[in-house]
């Protein structure tokens, strides 16, 4: 009985056009199941306390606000110099919790973990802890954002970062949704001439407006003063 859950389809977008893509299955477990689930989760936290410091999701004392500040504050500071610009890449992992690589855990299990339980973000945080790249990154559970500050005449490391991330995702059997992965160039001056990124033969869309952790920002950060919560 404790293993059972009501699965509620929560829309990712409105209106829902494709049920297979536009709905997220969230598991509603019983109160008793949630209480019992706290024990293995607490044991995991005690056994593996050293979570990646760039991980700001589902960790004590952190929130989306902390993650957004860690992403945007260095960009605002760097762009005080008009010779600087920022390159921001938001990675979308395909059905992240469904593809947790259990061979990295102590017990080999076939399958993922249901969204809506306590253990799914905890397991995923430990799974992505070893995703380290040349450029700065901020993680919020399954949302990973890469931030690179550049002089306009400098060489970007984002291409090699994409390559190493693809290698990591392949090794950990975690796919990347290239359609939802977006890049944005942030500059207060004219956008620098820089090649677009490519993932497995797919060119990553470069956008002028994007949504990070529920907050919409633009390429000139003017919306940073008038954030819109979704």
């Amino acid at each position: 009985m404790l293993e059972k859950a009501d699965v509620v389809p929560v829309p990712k977008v409105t209106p829902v056009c494709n049920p297979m893509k536009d709905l997220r299955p969230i598991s509603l477990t019983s109160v008793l199941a949630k209480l019992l689930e706290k024990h293995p989760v607490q044991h995991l936290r005690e056994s593996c306390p050293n979570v990646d410091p760039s991980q700001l999701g589902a960790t004590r004392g952190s929130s989306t606000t902390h993650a957004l500040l860690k992403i945007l504050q260095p960009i605002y500071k760097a762009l005080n110099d008009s010779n600087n610009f920022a390159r921001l890449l938001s990675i979308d992992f395909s059905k992240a919790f469904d593809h947790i690589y259990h061979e990295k855990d102590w017990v080999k299990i076939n399958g993922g973990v249901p969204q809506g339980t306590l253990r799914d973000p905890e397991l995923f945080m430990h799974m992505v802890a070893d995703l380290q790249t040349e450029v700065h990154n901020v993680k919020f559970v399954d949302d990973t954002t890469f931030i690179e500050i550049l002089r306009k005449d400098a060489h970007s490391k984002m291409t090699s970062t994409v390559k190493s991330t693809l290698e990591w995702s392949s090794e950990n059997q975690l796919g990347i949704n290239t359609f939802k992965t977006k890049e944005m160039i942030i500059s207060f001056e004219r956008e620098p001439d820089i090649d677009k990124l490519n993932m497995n033969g797919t060119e990553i869309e470069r956008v002028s407006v994007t949504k990070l952790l529920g907050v919409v920002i633009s390429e000139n950060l003017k919306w940073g003063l008038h954030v819109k919560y979704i």
Side-chain angles (χ1 to χ4, degrees), residues 166-177:
L166 287 171
E167 291 172 350
W168 178 92
S169 65
S170 175
E171 180 181 345
N172 289 275
Q173 300 180 18
L174 187 64
I176 294 177
N177 188 331

Side-chain angles (χ1 to χ4, degrees), residues 85 87 152-154 185 190-196 206:
F85 71 97
R87 197 171 192 182
K152 291 185 177 178
D153 57 351
I185 304 296
R190 188 175 65 179
E191 181 178 311
D193 183 19
I194 191 167
D195 292 338
K196 291 187 177 181
R206 183 175 292 174

